[in-house]
Amino acid sequence: MWAQDRASAHLGIELLDVGVEVRDGIPLGRARARMRIRETMVNGHDIAHGGYVFALADSTFALACNATGRPTVAAGCDITYVAAGRLEDVLVAEARERVTYGRSGITDVTVVRQSDGAVLAEFRGRSRVMAGG
């Protein structure tokens, strides 16, 4: 899936780690990815545009949801912006599936600034395994 993700590649999102943890006998995905805020990613306030922060979180969410091998897509998500990113900041997103139930799941993603670990955003995604997956 990641090799075919042209949108994430275009944004310069780099996969750092992806894997599966077993908790209470249930396999749950996890992933880490990062992205540098480039000149074309800042808004009129000279801070990272929220859409790009969201894209990083969403791509990392997708990596975690698909880590167990079941083809999975987003069913819904929301994001809370906590602090602003700036030009040239490197953002790191860490995603962990919290729970899966049937074909559905919930995944949390935290986006931090790599230089100081400051939390920039918290994202919660709701996933759905595709039919036949």
Side-chain angles (χ1 to χ4, degrees):
M1 178 205 77
W2 184 250
Q4 301 303 314
D5 188 341
R6 294 183 301 275
S8 295
H10 175 73
L11 295 175
I13 297 174
E14 177 186 0
L15 170 61
L16 298 176
D17 180 47
V18 65
V20 177
E21 299 173 349
V22 177
R23 283 183 289 195
D24 298 324
I26 299 167
L28 298 169
R30 60 170 174 73
R32 289 179 60 237
R34 73 177 162 204
M35 177 183 76
R36 179 178 302 277
I37 299 299
R38 301 185 311 241
E39 188 174 289
T40 57
M41 297 176 169
V42 295
N43 63 23
H45 296 292
D46 206 30
I47 59 176
H49 189 289
Y52 290 107
V53 176
F54 184 96
L56 172 62
D58 186 47
S59 292
T60 311
F61 162 57
L63 285 162
C65 291
N66 283 276
T68 61
R70 297 168 64 187
T72 305
V73 295
C77 47
D78 60 80
I79 192 166
T80 300
Y81 299 103
V82 177
R86 306 260 176 218
L87 180 64
E88 295 302 322
D89 279 350
V90 175
L91 308 185
V92 177
E94 183 167 350
R96 292 199 180 280
E97 275 189 304
R98 305 295 297 157
V99 65
T100 59
Y101 48 101
R103 290 178 40 217
S104 299
I106 297 173
T107 301
D108 288 335
V109 184
T110 300
V111 178
V112 302
R113 185 173 30 242
Q114 183 173 314
S115 63
D116 62 2
V119 174
L120 301 188
E122 291 287 348
F123 172 108
R124 173 159 277 187
R126 292 167 302 285
S127 61
R128 185 80 172 161
V129 173
M130 294 168 44

